Amino acid sequence: MKLSQRITHLTEGGSDGWDVFYRARRMISEGHAVTELTIGEHDVRTDPSILAAMEISARGGHTGYAMVPGTDMLRDTVAARVQMRTGVPTTRNNVMITPGGQAALFAAHMAVCDPGDVGLYLEPYYATYPGTIRGAGAIARAVQTTAEDAFQPRVEPIVAAADGAVSLLINSPNNPTGVVYSRQTLENISDLCKRRDLWLISDEVYDTQVWQGEHLSPRALPGMADRTLVVGSMSKSHAMTGSRCGWIVGPEEVIDHLINLATHTTYGVPGFIQDAASFALNAGSILEEDIAAPFQRRRALAMDLLATQNTVGLVPAQGAMYLMLDVRATGLSGEGFANALLDTHSIAVMPGESFGSAAAGHVRVAMTIDDDRFASALKILCEFASTLADRQAAE
Ligand code: PMP
């Protein structure tokens, strides 16, 4: 039987840099001790107080169908939070609750892209981006950012790629680079969107994890509230990855259509999960700071450690739970280095190439293991890189 192009071509193209990840998983299942610095999963679980709120809600009967757009309480909570953080007037009518940020990314592209339209996204990119755009029927077109620009996007290559484009997807703080877009970058991007009449889809799921600079939501820039769809999530801010609770914030008219889409796809998010999310967001900033603190600490550890050597370069680590390391001095690709590191030292990191060719010669390190193990893994990584670089220089 024939399957749709949409499903069979969802993840076409590009190198499969995920081989290292799957190999590490296989080694673990075969009983090897592997230090895993691959995916963005916290090393703490959801806070017991959030679980208690979830239980009270579920036992109280909030286990039936919930309101499709989200509960009034959670929509109001998200709206108030967004308004407080950005100054942009926001009500529950600007908010739809989704099963995680991923569903919001898909819904946003469904809302603005017709089949055959181009959806732009920036490299290096979060793994699901091109498939999400294709899933909505659009053509996913990558625009490179470069290590030389510290992965801050420039508008010229975006303009050069903008023929046929209806949307631009950005992500700051950025996964995989850890870069936070500057105000200048975001103003340039906003001007471009207005000039070329593009929707801006702004993935802000790491907005509580900023170590340097500040997070600016482009929806707050002049004239942008009408053309920006913001994606948010409980996953990273509150270690609720498995609860699948996120949102999309945008113009009322778009939200109305998205509610219609949700009625015909997800049919909403469980009520007890939404109640737990409302509790968590209303619990003040302490919970969020507790979740973010280990990454901030490990980033500081890493900066100290990396400052003692000059083989491995560090892309400015301004936010999110990752470090992007430049290993080009070893003479290996990111993939080659990651494979060699796994074989030699049983340490698993993600090759930069798995996030697009813009991150070739880099590896991404997730700061998701305890401080001591993290510091020692990073030390081994640097020593290994230095040995490889010496060997390369001697050849
Ligand atoms: N955007 C980015 C940049 C991410 O890194 C992730 C998760 N790793 C998501 C969106 C999706 O997160 P979730 O669906 O868990 O909210």
Side-chain angles (χ1 to χ4, degrees):
M1 293 295 290
K2 179 184 165 297
L3 291 169
S4 73
Q5 289 275 325
R6 176 178 274 133
I7 203 80
T8 52
H9 288 71
L10 202 67
T11 51
E12 71 182 344
S15 75
D16 185 10
W18 288 76
D19 287 352
V20 181
F21 171 72
Y22 291 119
R23 209 153 67 75
R25 282 286 152 106
R26 227 179 9 256
M27 286 167 70
I28 292 168
S29 71
E30 287 163 3
H32 297 284
V34 174
T35 305
E36 258 210 296
L37 304 170
T38 49
I39 59 169
E41 182 87 77
H42 311 68
D43 51 328
V44 294
R45 298 272 78 90
T46 306
D47 192 81
S49 64
I50 302 176
L51 295 180
M54 204 181 284
E55 183 181 2
I56 289 166
S57 171
R59 289 195 186 278
H62 211 169
T63 52
Y65 290 124
M67 300 277 286
V68 171
T71 62
D72 287 351
M73 183 164 67
L74 184 54
R75 292 173 85 196
D76 286 346
T77 299
V78 170
R81 176 184 175 88
V82 167
Q83 182 166 318
M84 202 250 299
R85 292 168 79 99
T86 63
V88 184
T90 306
T91 73
R92 82 168 66 138
N93 297 328
N94 300 112
V95 179
M96 186 177 80
I97 307 303
T98 61
Q102 179 54 42
L105 286 166
F106 178 67
H109 285 94
M110 283 295 281
V112 303
C113 296
D114 273 319
D117 284 344
V118 171
L120 299 172
Y121 66 104
L122 303 177
E123 267 194 34
Y125 56 87
Y126 170 52
T128 67
Y129 280 2
T132 302
I133 297 170
R134 285 190 206 109
I139 298 164
R141 186 178 291 160
V143 180
Q144 302 244 331
T145 63
T146 65
E148 288 61 42
D149 291 334
F151 297 110
Q152 289 280 337
R154 278 177 193 266
V155 283
E156 296 79 7
I158 305 177
V159 172
D163 272 358
V166 295
S167 62
L168 169 64
L169 170 57
I170 62 171
N171 172 223
S172 176
N174 188 270
N175 175 12
T177 62
V179 166
V180 173
Y181 293 176
S182 68
R183 174 174 284 273
Q184 189 63 58
T185 294
L186 289 166
E187 283 177 354
N188 292 346
I189 286 177
S190 300
D191 288 345
L192 161 79
C193 288
K194 284 184 274 188
R195 237 175 24 248
R196 299 296 298 238
D197 199 21
L198 298 178
W199 285 96
L200 184 61
I201 300 174
S202 179
D203 178 345
E204 302 179 20
V205 302
Y206 292 99
D207 66 349
T208 61
Q209 299 178 359
V210 178
W211 327 127
Q212 194 190 339
E214 61 178 338
H215 174 69
L216 172 66
S217 175
R219 181 168 173 264
L221 292 173
M224 288 306 289
D226 289 342
R227 60 171 67 249
T228 305
L229 302 175
V230 175
V231 171
S233 173
M234 297 301 293
S235 288
K236 311 294 175 174
S237 59
H238 291 81
M240 289 179 70
T241 47
S243 288
R244 313 309 305 133
C245 189
W247 54 82
I248 183 155
V249 174
E252 268 188 56
E253 190 204 345
V254 182
I255 297 298
D256 284 346
H257 287 295
L258 285 175
I259 294 168
N260 199 15
L261 176 68
T263 302
H264 295 87
T265 51
T266 61
Y267 214 80
V269 174
F272 53 92
I273 297 288
Q274 296 194 62
D275 287 346
S278 298
F279 165 83
L281 291 173
N282 286 315
S285 52
I286 304 274
L287 271 180
E288 289 163 35
E289 283 160 17
D290 277 357
I291 301 292
F295 305 124
Q296 185 159 24
R297 231 176 29 233
R298 291 167 199 160
R299 168 196 181 259
L301 279 175
M303 306 249 306
D304 287 349
L305 220 147
L306 288 160
T308 63
Q309 53 84 59
N310 49 23
T311 308
V312 177
L314 175 63
V315 171
Q318 299 162 320
M321 47 174 89
Y322 315 97
L323 303 175
M324 186 64 101
L325 302 179
D326 183 344
V327 294
R328 285 177 288 184
T330 63
L332 295 181
S333 65
E335 199 162 354
F337 182 81
N339 274 308
L341 186 67
L342 184 59
D343 289 336
T344 315
H345 293 291
S346 299
I347 296 172
V349 297
M350 291 297 290
E353 291 83 4
S354 28
F355 312 105
S357 57
H362 290 67
V363 293
R364 189 194 72 174
V365 174
M367 300 187 279
T368 47
I369 58 171
D370 70 65
D371 298 18
D372 289 347
R373 286 175 64 226
F374 177 70
S376 85
L378 207 56
K379 195 154 172 280
I380 294 169
L381 182 153
C382 288
E383 285 163 5
F384 183 57
S386 157
T387 312
L388 291 173
D390 288 349
R391 199 177 301 159
Q392 140 112 345
E395 270 166 18

